[in-house]
Amino acid sequence: MSATSLATTADSAACCPTGTPESLGEADARDGARVLKALADPNRLRLLSIVKNGPENGTCVCDLTEPLQLGQPTVSHHLKVLVDAGFLAREKRGTWAYYTLRPEALEDTTALIMGL
């Protein structure tokens, strides 16, 4: 191998690392994308805001359709996405479901974004 080839190979290795220990792994990237996708909808952001600013003991699903001017099935879908992503906790009380914000989920999301 010539000196030029060795220099080119060394330069490529120095400028194009194949990965670092700090890089986001495949599973973490997939989980992070699911979380960020849950936040990427304006209706879901509004739901988070309503629940966050609602009663401490939870916001009833019955109080979430009118502010968004959406049907109950659509609101339920958005709430399920937020629960599955870990942003909201759901508690069934009789025939109604009540939702509370999981503050640690917001902290985890901040850590995810800061760690990129």
Side-chain angles (χ1 to χ4, degrees):
M1 206 179 258
S2 71
T4 305
S5 296
L6 285 174
T8 302
T9 303
D11 289 343
S12 294
C15 76
C16 304
T18 58
T20 62
E22 301 87 31
S23 296
L24 200 57
E26 185 177 337
D28 289 336
R30 192 173 22 259
D31 291 343
R34 180 181 49 84
V35 167
L36 295 175
K37 183 178 179 182
L39 294 177
D41 183 281
N43 290 313
R44 290 194 280 266
L45 285 176
R46 289 187 66 207
L47 283 168
L48 279 177
S49 176
I50 293 167
V51 171
K52 178 183 180 284
N53 294 300
E56 189 174 306
N57 65 342
T59 302
C60 181
V61 68
C62 62
D63 295 325
L64 296 172
T65 55
E66 185 195 329
L68 273 64
Q69 296 181 332
L70 295 173
Q72 185 274 326
T74 302
V75 170
S76 291
H77 165 73
H78 288 306
L79 289 167
K80 181 179 181 342
V81 171
L82 292 168
V83 168
D84 290 348
F87 288 104
L88 297 178
R90 179 182 185 271
E91 180 186 346
K92 185 97 168 161
R93 297 183 203 156
T95 58
W96 296 107
Y98 287 78
Y99 293 87
T100 53
L101 183 70
R102 296 183 63 244
E104 64 273 12
L106 298 178
E107 294 166 8
D108 292 346
T109 303
T110 300
L112 167 71
I113 293 168
M114 297 300 291
L116 294 178

